[in-house]
Amino acid sequence: MPSRNEVIVRSGFRGLRYVDGRFDQVLEPGRYRLPGRRYPGQRLPQVEVVPVDLRERELNIKGQEILTADKVAVRVNIITHFRVVDPVAAIEQVTDYGDRVYSDVQLAARRSLASMTLEAILTNRNQLSEDILRDVEGVSAGYGIEIIRADVKDLVFPGNLQDIMNRVLTAQRMAEAQMVEARTRADREALEAGSKADSERVAAQARVESTRLAAEGDAAAKRIRTEAEVDALRRLAEAAEAYAQHPALLRLRELETLGALGTNAAARLYIGFDKHSDGSLPD
């Protein structure tokens, strides 16, 4: 235990030191000695140390009934997390910073809900939390408070509106699921049609390529035959020219042909009968 002339500031806290009612300094965690009398009758300054908790705190704002933009009464519960970041401002600027955070978050929730329809609140509760946080964080910084979170915990609707909205949301979810299924089916059919078209295109390309190769083969065969015929004609022309220039070669060719035919028993040869048509015999 500290003595009467000492004060201890715990971890997670800051101490605001006041001397004769005036703020003097911020004390970090540790042990501090207070001024004591050095001689009888000495007037001592009045020193006070106010502890300020810097740890994160939670504040529940319950049962706030607010009208939405479409005039539906909604009861909302909000959980707020905050902490002191400037202990001097938190103590000097407002009477009770906890109460101030409560009222600021409450007003921010009312402003945000009043600008949204019931359907928007149900389908996008995160937007409501973000709007409240954005609205209040600038104000709270002015008195040394950082708003960490401002989450909408519960939304309560009057009468049977909750059941009606649940059915509406269920129908919307079913419609969205059917839309997703329809899109998936359309995408699958498009892929199948594209695959079929690709197959047909590949087959057509294969047929064109086969026709082209066949045509090229026929053309090559015709070219070879033509070249062979031209070569044969060229050889015949060269032989005819040789026989014309050298008749003895032609006679020799005739003898070779007669020799070849003579080996065939069925062959019949008729030679020079027109020269002896007058009935005379050669000498």
Side-chain angles (χ1 to χ4, degrees):
M1 294 292 295
S3 66
R4 295 178 57 186
N5 294 330
E6 290 182 337
V7 64
I8 293 176
V9 180
R10 294 168 50 195
S11 295
F13 288 75
R14 296 294 184 271
L16 302 188
R17 187 174 185 268
Y18 289 85
V19 178
D20 291 336
R22 292 179 176 273
F23 171 71
D24 179 55
Q25 64 176 332
V26 177
L27 302 181
E28 298 292 325
R31 182 188 293 268
Y32 296 89
R33 183 178 296 277
L34 300 177
R37 296 180 183 274
R38 296 185 177 180
Y39 51 86
Q42 179 185 8
R43 181 180 176 278
L44 294 177
Q46 182 179 357
V47 177
E48 180 185 7
V49 176
V50 178
V52 181
D53 192 347
L54 303 187
R55 295 172 298 178
E56 182 177 325
R57 297 172 60 180
E58 180 179 289
L59 181 64
N60 290 325
I61 302 175
K62 300 180 179 180
Q64 299 299 308
E65 188 168 328
I66 305 170
L67 287 177
T68 64
D70 46 358
K71 307 304 180 184
V72 177
V74 177
R75 185 172 299 172
V76 60
N77 297 330
I78 305 170
I79 297 180
T80 303
H81 292 260
F82 70 95
R83 63 186 175 192
V84 177
V85 293
D86 185 350
V88 177
I91 298 300
E92 296 278 329
Q93 299 297 325
V94 293
T95 303
D96 188 319
Y97 57 83
D99 290 344
R100 180 63 182 271
V101 169
Y102 186 99
S103 61
D104 284 344
V105 173
Q106 181 187 45
L107 292 174
R110 290 183 178 276
R111 285 191 293 267
S112 181
L113 281 170
S115 65
M116 299 175 65
T117 63
L118 180 60
E119 182 179 0
I121 295 171
L122 290 173
T123 56
N124 195 0
R125 186 181 297 188
N126 290 335
Q127 180 183 348
L128 178 58
S129 300
E130 292 170 0
D131 289 346
I132 295 173
L133 180 61
R134 184 171 54 253
D135 192 1
V136 76
E137 62 183 357
V139 177
S140 64
Y143 52 90
I145 301 298
E146 178 189 7
I147 305 297
I148 301 171
R149 298 171 59 187
D151 295 333
V152 176
K153 181 181 178 182
D154 298 310
L155 289 171
V156 181
F157 305 103
N160 62 347
L161 183 60
Q162 179 73 49
D163 295 335
I164 296 174
M165 293 308 300
N166 285 337
R167 289 196 295 270
V168 170
L169 290 177
T170 301
Q172 289 178 346
R173 286 193 292 268
M174 291 180 62
E176 291 174 356
Q178 291 174 355
M179 184 177 298
V180 170
E181 182 180 358
R183 289 177 179 173
T184 303
R185 184 169 59 253
D187 292 341
R188 184 174 61 252
E189 292 175 353
L191 288 174
E192 292 175 353
S195 178
K196 182 178 180 182
D198 291 340
S199 298
E200 292 177 352
R201 183 170 59 254
V202 170
Q205 291 175 351
R207 289 194 297 270
V208 170
E209 183 68 15
S210 177
T211 303
R212 184 183 65 81
L213 292 175
E216 290 179 354
D218 291 343
K222 290 179 180 179
R223 185 174 61 255
I224 292 172
R225 288 195 300 270
T226 301
E227 291 176 353
E229 292 174 356
V230 170
D231 186 65
L233 291 173
R234 181 179 56 78
R235 291 179 181 274
L236 289 174
E238 291 177 353
E241 183 179 0
Y243 293 152
Q245 293 179 0
H246 304 284
L249 293 176
L250 178 59
R251 184 60 179 171
L252 179 62
R253 182 64 175 169
E254 290 176 354
L255 294 174
E256 290 177 353
T257 303
L258 290 173
L261 291 174
T263 60
N264 187 356
R268 295 293 184 267
L269 300 176
Y270 301 93
I271 304 173
F273 287 103
D274 55 340
K275 295 191 299 181
H276 307 288
S277 60
D278 55 355
S280 59
L281 295 174
D283 294 337

